Amino acid sequence: MNRRTLGLLAALCLTSACNDAPVGEMTPIPRPADMPAEPAQQAEAPKPAAAEPPPDPSKVVLRWKLDAPTAFKLTTTGTGSAPAPAAKGKKGKKGKDPEPTSGSSATEAIFVLQKTESGDYAFRIVPQGKGGEAEQGSMSERGFVMDGLAGPLRNTAVLVLELPREPVGPEATWALGTDLVDLGSVPGFVEKKAERRNQVKLTALTPGENGEQVATLEYDLSESLSGELRATRATHSKTDGHGHEEEEEKPSKGTQSALAEMRVKGRGEFLVKAGRWRSWEATLTTRSEGTTLPGTANGERTLRLTPLDSVPPELLLPQARK
């Protein structure tokens, strides 16, 4: 074989190697002529977010609106004690109950509600007349008492301030954060039976003037605690042989049954758009046997709120006077 023949064979081998397909390569199969082409796949459209249900037109949200300070005159009349702020020099703060005023009486206080510079909602109860001391606290937009007051005075604030948490319609009911009967501070009292009813009902929604809506609320609350007063150790003073007085404890004997109860019946008209009471009144009836309900004497008294056209500047909280 001469050199020309060898050169030709080498050239043929190189050409064949260049045309060889790589190992493992897949060759597409032609589509038959009678097979239709696949349509282009469309991108899946995003699902719309679930829409919130529209508000129920038969329900309303009751909230205090304190763009400007609001004030009411709180009048208490009837027999038994009035849950008014404690007089100066007497214990009335830090869990102490104000001293009851027995017999037929009438007291007045100004209930001031306002928004402070920090945006918090605050209230202040300012007794009218001599010897009274103002009490104050903070609340939420729905009137939930978060800080301040104790005992009967706190119950009064809860009754006139607290509104339902959720939207409500006619015949809706809810409970208040009251503690009408508290015998925890009575020495030796052992609870045997407790009965409670706590209900506020929206009985009507009616149109008012200038597009206002009036919500009528009816109050039906009662608490009753019964049990017994067990023996406690009484303290007596005696004089020793040197003429010095010293305390001597002597155990008391026996037990006696005890009962304390309170009932509240009331009605209020709340202006939904304005966010305040048009009127509010309730009757509180107290009865106790074998003991006394701290801060409250037996009897019946009526609490009434009357809106004031303006708030006296001297009754505002200092940080909200500007």
Side-chain angles (χ1 to χ4, degrees), residues 56-72:
D56 188 340
S58 67
K59 295 183 178 181
V60 293
V61 177
L62 303 182
R63 293 293 183 268
W64 288 97
K65 296 179 176 63
L66 301 181
D67 297 332
T70 302
F72 302 88

Side-chain angles (χ1 to χ4, degrees), residues 172-300:
T173 61
W174 62 93
L176 300 180
T178 56
D179 190 9
L180 299 178
V181 178
D182 182 8
L183 297 180
S185 61
V186 176
F189 177 76
V190 179
E191 181 182 318
K192 296 294 185 180
K193 184 179 180 181
E195 296 180 354
R196 293 180 174 88
R197 176 178 175 81
N198 189 326
Q199 177 179 287
V200 185
K201 178 187 286 188
L202 176 63
T203 58
L205 276 175
T206 55
E209 299 178 356
N210 301 321
E212 184 59 89
Q213 208 171 10
V214 181
T216 302
L217 279 57
E218 293 190 358
Y219 294 72
D220 184 7
L221 297 86
S222 64
E223 288 189 22
S224 175
L225 290 183
S226 58
E228 61 182 19
L229 291 174
R230 292 185 177 176
T232 58
R233 301 184 69 86
T235 302
H236 301 272
S237 298
K238 71 174 186 177
T239 304
D240 60 15
H242 302 285
H244 300 125
E245 289 189 359
E246 59 182 18
E247 300 293 333
E248 179 184 26
E249 289 188 351
K250 292 184 179 181
S252 301
K253 296 181 180 180
T255 61
Q256 67 179 48
S257 60
L259 166 72
E261 64 181 15
M262 179 180 290
R263 299 191 305 273
V264 179
K265 292 284 188 178
R267 185 178 184 274
E269 294 182 342
F270 193 83
L271 301 176
V272 178
K273 185 178 179 181
R276 59 180 176 82
W277 290 113
R278 182 168 74 175
S279 64
W280 188 95
E281 182 175 319
T283 299
L284 284 64
T285 305
T286 305
R287 183 173 73 92
S288 59
E289 298 176 358
T291 184
T292 58
L293 187 57
T296 306
N298 287 350
E300 183 177 285

